[in-house]
Structures are given as C-alpha cells and as structure tokens.
Amino acid sequence: MPKIKKSIRKILFCAAEAAPLAKVGGLADVVGSLPTALKNQKIDARILMPAHSVIALKKIGAQKLASVSVVAAGKSEKVVIYQARVQNITYYLLQNKHYFIGNVYEGDNCRKYLFFCRAVLVALPFLPFRPEIIHAHDFHTAPLIMELSRQARIKRPGLILTIHNLQHQGWTENKTAAEFGFNEANFPAVAKSQDGQWLNLLAGGIVGADKITTVSPSYAREILTPAYGQGLEKLLRSRRHDLVGILNGLDFKEYDPEHDELLAWNYGRRQLRSGKALNKKVIGDYFNLSPDKVPLLALIARFSNQKGLDLFDLKLLSALAKKYPFQLILLGSGEKKYEVLASNLARALPDKVRTIIAFSEPLAHNLYAAVDYFLVPSLFEPCGLTQMIAMRYGAVPIVRATGGLKDTVKNNKTGLVFKKYEAAVFIKTLETALRLYYQHPEKYQALQSAGQHQNWSWEASAPAYRKLYLSI
Ligand code: ADP
C-alpha cells in the first residue's frame, strides 16, 4: 500500500505583533487572522509572541504557565510564560520586564528580538504544545529559524519564514548577536557584512528555513530582482525553488461595514451609497470639511519612504484642486520627515487637507467607510491590506502597480492604477479619478461596486498555506 503522508496539524506562529493584542501594521492583521482561517483547513495554529507591556494580560485572562531563566547580555533574565485564549485562538506570551517594554517596536529592536528568540528557544519545551512546524515572520524571529535549522531535520520541527517586508532585515553587530547567544560562526557567509562586523538576521533565516513565503505572488517575483531585492536578491534567487508568494487575506469579520462596531453608521451592499454618505457627513463635521459637495480622499499608512508620501507635491495638488475640487485626509505616523511633509500639506491647504499624526483604529475604520477614493501610491508594497479594506468598504483604490497592489487592483475595473513612481504621474491619475467622479458618476459607481464584490477573505489563501505545510 502506498504510504499516505500524515497531515500536519500543529503550527506555532512566532511573531512580533498580532491583532488584536498589539498592532503596528499589516503583520499584526495577518498573524492575528490567519490561524482562524486555518481552522477550517483542520490546522491548529497558535501564536507565540512577546507580552509587550501594552498588552493588558489580566484583561485578556492570561494564565501563568511557567517561569524560566534566560541568559542574555551576561545576565539571567526572568521570563514568564503566559497562555491566553483570544477570539478562539491560543496565544503564548513571553513576559520580561526589561526587553518587552512599551509597544511592539519601541526601543532597540535587534536586542529586543534577539532576546525574544533566545527566550523562545528556552520556553519551547515548557509549552503544552508540540508544534510540527514553526512559522516565523520577518527578521524579528528569523534567528530562531537559523538556530533551529542547525539541528538534524528528524529532531526539529519544519521551519517556515514569511517575509512581510524585505526592507527591514535586522542588521546587527556581531558582538550584539553574541550577547544573546547567536554567534557569528553559526551565520552563513551570505548573512555577514563585507567588513565582517555585522550580521543580517533575515538572511540567516532565509538560509535556514525549509520554505520561504512572501505575501503576494508579484512581490515573490519582484524580490528576485535588484530593484526590489534590497540587496538579498542573489540569496533569494538561490532559494527560489523554496520560495512561494501567497496573497494575504483579510479578516472579513473584522472588516465588514455591515457589522463593524467602530463605524458611525453601518451599511450593507445595498445601502452602499446612502451608508457612505452618512459616514462622510460624520467625518466632514468632525474635521470641519464639507465633503458632501466634493469627493473625499484618504491615505492611511505607516509614514515611511515605502508609502509614497513623496508623491504628494504641493504645487501639483493645489493646481488640481482648482480644476477639480477635492478634500484629503492623511492618517499616519512614523518617520519625522513624512510627519512634517504631511503636516505642511495640511497647513498649506487648510480648506482641503487634514493630517492626523496618530495610530487610531476607530478613525481608520471610519475613514474607510467615509471616503470616495483611497490612496496607496507605494514605492513598493509586499501585499498591502489597506486597498483591500478600502474596496470592502466601497472606497475606490488608487494605487501604484507594485507587489500586492498589482495583484489586487485592476485598472478601470476595481480601481485606478499607475505605473511610474513620479509625482506628476500620480497627480495625473488623481485627475482622472476626479474627472470620473464628477463627469461619469455611473462609471465611478461601477468601480465601487466591482471592488466591493471582490472576495479578499482568507478563503482563497488558507488552502495554499495548508498545501505548503504538508509539503515539508
Ligand atoms: P504595512 O504592513 O506596510 O503597514 P498594510 O497595508 O499591510 O501596511 O497594513 C496596514 C494596516 O495597519 C491596516 O490594517 C491599516 O488600516 C492599519 N494602519 C496603518 N496606519 C494606521 C493608522 N495610522 N491608524 C490606524 N490604522 C493604521
């Protein structure tokens, strides 16, 4: 009889962030929602992450499982292992009073996550769960993959590393990594700097993983090229047979305008226009704008060079506003340079632009519900969730053709897409969008409704993960 491969069921996600416990960006959305989708695939996926001090352990009913000692930076550190059940998913949370202070990326991230990886290695035998696969996410947990890959395959779990963003690779000085027990001698040559002083944590994980994934098919192709490979394209090419791009899904329960508890007004598909008008009025009143008369645009993002803020050229925008009036809300925080740029735009165009430097889930949800167009003019975008959320809420996305944006938005069918990363090209696309809104409302509405009918839930992608887990 042919042998039937046992189906793998126990997966442990190791990651820096997971919604709803702690969120900074899309990584949290994905780590927090994929385990629920995998349940339908008969996979028990649990999450192991730091108990960042912003997480209210009591409030989520976290129970202490064990306390262990972790040697790091010449000291013995106490790490308490907690277990919690949140939205029917089991979390293991590692608490330490020195390293996991504040929010996800506060402090020195290399030290914080090298410590986390070291703590995970100590804590694993104390968990009441024997994972068949460890699924790590981004550079923060890549050292774990590298370290475990040194064991014989028969003795260790399968190892998967998902790259959510190649821009962040975790370059660390040799001596810093050594403080946490990650010795330079164990890193592959491709993960070392030319001067021999620095280590690339992500590259170490890429070499060690059995399989590597990234978050959209287009990004999986792009990162093999110098334009998008961020210096790791050669290494990634050498592993291309083990690299797969799986499009992120959206938590369709969380992002559902009909039931979203954060919205001023809920609306189903049939009330799209009236529902959006009500939400638009609430936002208009709140920000002292008058969007009932003009199209309302928004951008919600981490403010970094990735997100296309450099394309918001003041002169071109004010000229456009004279031709086709619009109002624009920018919500985000991050690099100072972009916070200043966005604030300056609002100051220069006080009757047209509002900038809110903050991370606010309630405001974000209400903006998705209120706006007519949603802007994602990214320089690069591994997947991007905001354009999918926007479509679900009936806001038409205007995106640059890159990575996951290319895979999810079809020009003139579900949104507007431009290619060249240039302010003039971006503003020209905005002009096309505004003209459409003013002069061809029926065409605008067709885009809106086509976007709303797309299925961005995990339904399509969860089976691809199952297939991957079974292939190891
Ligand atoms: P990235 O992971 O690069 O930050 P994604 O598009 O994959 O980008 O995911 C961003 C997620 O973070 C979305 O859920 C988006 O709504 C949310 N988000 C980004 N900035 C803010 C903000 N300032 N306030 C609230 N939510 C935000």
Side-chain angles (χ1 to χ4, degrees):
M1 272 232 324
K3 251 192 174 172
I4 296 169
K5 191 162 180 181
K6 187 168 125 289
S7 75
I8 296 171
R9 292 182 303 117
K10 291 185 194 161
I11 316 289
L12 186 63
F13 280 31
C14 296
E17 48 177 318
L21 294 192
K23 169 170 165 178
V24 173
L27 173 61
D29 284 312
V30 174
V31 173
S33 62
L34 179 53
T36 305
L38 288 171
K39 272 191 188 165
N40 294 334
Q41 302 294 318
K42 299 201 166 38
I43 284 168
D44 180 0
R46 305 185 183 189
I47 300 168
L48 174 57
M49 64 185 280
H52 299 292
S53 63
V54 292
I55 301 173
L57 290 177
K58 265 198 190 147
K59 210 169 145 194
I60 59 169
Q63 303 282 328
K64 194 168 159 178
L65 283 183
S67 179
V68 295
S69 293
V70 177
V71 178
K75 283 194 197 137
S76 174
E77 290 281 344
K78 184 177 164 188
V79 170
V80 184
I81 310 170
Y82 285 91
Q83 175 169 339
R85 192 106 175 121
V86 181
Q87 294 174 355
N88 277 326
I89 294 299
T90 299
Y91 282 79
Y92 300 110
L93 300 154
L94 303 188
Q95 185 192 53
N96 173 267
K97 298 251 153 77
H98 293 132
Y99 287 93
F100 305 141
I101 302 303
N103 208 348
V104 184
Y105 303 117
E106 266 175 66
D108 181 331
N109 281 304
C110 285
R111 296 182 75 82
K112 183 186 264 196
Y113 288 103
L114 282 166
F115 178 74
F116 177 62
C117 291
R118 182 53 56 202
V120 170
L121 290 164
V122 176
L124 275 176
F126 292 87
L127 301 184
F129 186 63
R130 295 281 150 265
E132 287 148 288
I133 286 181
I134 296 222
H135 188 162
H137 298 265
D138 275 349
F139 90 81
H140 321 104
T141 46
L144 193 61
I145 296 287
M146 196 194 78
E147 199 68 9
L148 288 168
S149 73
R150 294 171 57 222
Q151 299 174 11
R153 177 62 186 95
I154 195 144
K155 290 198 186 142
R156 63 158 173 87
L159 301 171
I160 293 179
L161 176 66
T162 293
I163 300 169
H164 294 259
N165 193 331
L166 201 54
Q167 188 173 44
H168 308 290
Q169 300 179 4
W171 278 103
T172 308
E173 270 189 290
N174 297 357
K175 57 176 194 262
T176 307
E179 282 185 65
F180 298 90
F182 295 96
N183 294 319
E184 183 227 325
N186 296 330
F187 278 78
V190 288
K192 297 178 185 179
S193 66
Q194 277 186 350
D195 66 5
Q197 302 298 311
W198 293 80
L199 299 165
N200 185 315
L201 302 184
L202 186 67
I206 292 173
V207 173
D210 297 315
K211 295 278 177 192
I212 303 143
T213 81
T214 189
V215 288
S216 70
S218 282
Y219 194 60
R221 283 188 295 274
E222 287 172 353
I223 57 178
L224 304 180
T225 67
Y228 288 94
Q230 310 258 5
L232 294 186
E233 59 276 8
K234 243 172 125 181
L235 168 60
L236 286 162
R237 276 205 299 273
S238 75
R239 297 236 45 202
R240 67 182 175 281
H241 300 301
D242 293 314
L243 170 70
V244 48
I246 303 175
L247 192 73
N248 279 340
L250 205 60
D251 183 339
F252 256 35
K253 264 202 185 137
E254 192 198 340
Y255 295 108
D256 175 5
E258 200 164 359
H259 300 107
D260 185 337
E261 288 175 7
L262 296 173
L263 290 195
W265 295 92
N266 288 109
Y267 54 97
R269 275 188 189 162
R270 289 213 195 111
Q271 306 108 30
L272 176 62
R273 232 159 297 147
S274 58
K276 282 191 77 73
L278 287 166
N279 284 293
K280 199 172 169 183
K281 172 142 181 30
V282 171
I283 286 291
D285 291 347
Y286 187 76
F287 286 109
N288 196 18
L289 292 167
S290 50
D292 46 324
K293 301 196 180 68
V294 299
L296 184 61
L297 284 51
L299 172 143
I300 302 172
R302 281 181 301 109
F303 283 0
S304 83
N305 74 327
Q306 176 189 339
K307 298 295 180 178
L309 286 148
D310 288 305
L311 303 185
F312 287 78
D313 180 280
L314 174 60
K315 267 195 195 151
L316 294 176
L317 275 176
S318 16
L320 177 61
K322 278 186 196 121
K323 208 164 163 190
Y324 295 110
F326 66 88
Q327 290 177 330
L328 167 67
I329 299 178
L330 304 167
L331 168 65
S333 62
E335 281 176 43
K336 193 90 215 142
K337 171 181 168 190
Y338 294 108
E339 291 187 354
V340 170
L341 185 151
S343 304
N344 285 347
L345 266 185
R347 215 164 295 127
L349 303 170
D351 53 339
K352 293 179 189 68
V353 180
R354 295 285 178 273
T355 293
I356 304 96
I357 305 292
F359 186 94
S360 165
E361 289 266 7
L363 180 53
H365 282 235
N366 279 284
L367 284 175
Y368 289 119
V371 302
D372 301 296
Y373 282 112
F374 190 85
L375 314 180
V376 201
S378 305
L379 176 61
F380 65 94
E381 196 59 74
C383 176
L385 295 176
T386 59
Q387 79 282 9
M388 299 193 212
I389 305 171
M391 283 187 255
R392 180 125 166 96
Y393 284 67
V396 175
I398 299 176
V399 307
R400 183 165 167 266
T402 181
L405 298 173
K406 204 161 139 184
D407 293 343
T408 52
V409 183
K410 299 290 160 234
N411 194 30
N412 287 321
K413 293 205 168 73
T414 55
L416 294 168
V417 183
F418 67 98
K419 286 198 177 128
K420 222 169 175 187
Y421 191 74
E422 263 177 25
V425 179
F426 171 52
I427 306 292
K428 198 96 202 126
T429 313
L430 291 189
E431 183 173 341
T432 308
L434 296 171
R435 196 180 321 115
L436 199 72
Y437 185 93
Y438 280 115
Q439 297 173 2
H440 304 282
E442 71 298 340
K443 284 191 187 155
Y444 168 79
Q445 284 157 16
L447 292 183
Q448 228 183 354
S449 133
Q452 246 211 339
H453 281 82
Q454 303 291 306
N455 185 355
W456 302 120
S457 74
W458 278 109
E459 242 169 65
S461 298
Y465 275 104
R466 179 183 168 79
K467 197 170 152 210
L468 174 79
Y469 294 145
L470 291 174
S471 75
I472 292 180

